[in-house]
Amino acid sequence: MLLGSVLLAACGSEREGSDGPPVVLAAASMQEALEAAADGWAAQGHARPLLSFSSSAVVARQAAEGAPADLVVTADQQWMDWMEQQHLLRPGTRRTIAGNTLVLVAPGEPGEGRSDVRAVLSGFSGHLALAEPETVPAGRYAMAALTRMGLAEDLATRIVPAENVRAALALVERGEVDLGIVYATDALASDKVTVLASFNPELHAPIRYPLAVLAESAQPEAEAFADYLESSAGQAILARHGFSPSR
């Protein structure tokens, strides 16, 4: 939160009196992928976008509070719907740029197991980290999956909620919890966790990342960068970081 606030304050200062580069508020799980996409965009001769990452809930609230930003990316449709209802989005600019999946991870060397989620969690007696399920998309997806499998009630007192999915990942990386539920892309970005199993995507709503230009943006490059993320070049970058295609 503090890092994002500092960055947005700096963005606001830089943008006064100049066009400046596009400013993007994005879900924490997209950090490495969007950093790489920003580099790719800059390599084409454009000003490198300024990026700020947090949970989708925080990103949406920053937009609602008038953060000096041009683009917003969330990890679910619900928060984007909320912003659209608040008339925060430029009409016609909303689109989906990527998809994702959920995995069960443990501290350890990078790797991917073929265990069954139910088999692992049915006999589990430790603590399980996941993003805060009331407001954070990753947490909502995780709780939906656990509920559908009939495991949520048994695990309820041992779930450790985190501010966002990267905070949940960090708890696993530090060994502060035994297991965690994160996105597959988060696990791919870490060298301190091993993937035990993948969740059946039918256990929760489809994980999609919508993007839109904010209604108050006057940055001419904002929509062009959004188009780049949808292009073959942008999609290739997102795919290298584990995201599934936008369609």
Side-chain angles (χ1 to χ4, degrees), residues 152-178:
E153 185 175 351
D154 180 61
L155 291 168
T157 60
R158 291 177 285 121
I159 287 175
V160 180
E163 180 181 0
N164 57 55
V165 70
R166 286 304 175 91
L169 178 70
L171 290 173
V172 181
E173 289 178 325
R174 295 194 297 265
E176 295 180 20
V177 295
D178 305 282

Side-chain angles (χ1 to χ4, degrees), residues 74 76-87 89 94 210:
T74 60
D76 71 348
Q77 303 291 355
Q78 187 170 323
W79 278 112
M80 194 65 78
D81 288 344
W82 180 82
M83 286 185 282
E84 193 160 33
Q85 292 161 8
Q86 304 296 313
H87 307 291
L89 310 180
R94 179 172 172 174

Side-chain angles (χ1 to χ4, degrees), residues 27 52 61 66 69 73 113 116 119 130 132 141 144 147 161 170 177 188 190 229:
S52 177
R61 289 166 182 156
V73 185
D116 177 77
L130 49 84
E132 197 283 309
Y141 295 131
T147 300
V177 295
L188 184 62
S190 175
L229 293 174

Side-chain angles (χ1 to χ4, degrees), residues 5 14 37 48 52 71 79-80 106 117 124 138-139 158 171 179 188 197 218 225 230 241:
S5 300
E14 179 177 334
R48 189 184 191 281
S52 177
L71 289 165
W79 278 112
M80 194 65 78
V117 172
F124 178 61
R158 291 177 285 121
L171 290 173
L179 299 176
L188 184 62
F225 182 60
E230 270 196 309
H241 287 81

Side-chain angles (χ1 to χ4, degrees), residues 4-247:
S5 300
V6 171
L7 173 58
L8 289 176
C11 292
S13 174
E14 179 177 334
R15 285 156 65 84
E16 291 179 7
S18 68
D19 289 334
V23 176
V24 184
L25 305 177
S29 52
M30 293 214 84
Q31 184 166 344
E32 289 80 11
L34 283 186
E35 292 284 4
D39 289 340
W41 180 244
Q44 294 186 4
H46 304 276
R48 189 184 191 281
L50 295 171
L51 309 173
S52 177
F53 301 96
S54 193
S55 72
S56 294
V58 170
V59 161
R61 289 166 182 156
Q62 286 175 334
E65 291 165 4
D70 303 293
L71 289 165
V72 61
V73 185
T74 60
D76 71 348
Q77 303 291 355
Q78 187 170 323
W79 278 112
M80 194 65 78
D81 288 344
W82 180 82
M83 286 185 282
E84 193 160 33
Q85 292 161 8
Q86 304 296 313
H87 307 291
L88 298 172
L89 310 180
R90 182 183 298 173
T93 63
R94 179 172 172 174
R95 77 285 302 268
T96 297
I97 60 168
N100 214 334
T101 56
L102 285 181
V103 295
L104 184 67
V105 296
E109 296 293 323
E112 186 169 349
R114 298 188 180 277
S115 301
D116 177 77
V117 172
R118 185 186 298 276
V120 175
L121 292 180
S122 293
F124 178 61
S125 60
H127 288 84
L128 174 71
L130 49 84
E132 197 283 309
E134 293 298 318
T135 60
V136 182
R140 281 202 294 258
Y141 295 131
M143 283 303 299
L146 294 175
T147 300
R148 287 285 297 275
M149 289 190 295
L151 298 172
E153 185 175 351
D154 180 61
L155 291 168
T157 60
R158 291 177 285 121
I159 287 175
V160 180
E163 180 181 0
N164 57 55
V165 70
R166 286 304 175 91
L169 178 70
L171 290 173
V172 181
E173 289 178 325
R174 295 194 297 265
E176 295 180 20
V177 295
D178 305 282
L179 299 176
I181 301 175
V182 299
Y183 294 126
T185 53
D186 299 310
L188 184 62
S190 175
D191 61 359
K192 297 178 181 178
V193 300
T194 186
V195 175
L196 300 180
S198 298
F199 284 79
N200 185 332
E202 295 182 0
L203 292 170
H204 52 76
I207 302 173
R208 299 287 183 266
Y209 288 76
L211 170 152
V213 179
L214 291 169
E216 297 299 314
S217 172
Q219 166 47 249
E221 290 263 83
E223 196 159 352
F225 182 60
D227 291 341
Y228 173 74
L229 293 174
E230 270 196 309
S231 72
S232 58
Q235 288 291 297
I237 292 171
L238 295 182
R240 286 200 297 273
H241 287 81
F243 289 92
S244 56
S246 58
R247 292 181 180 82

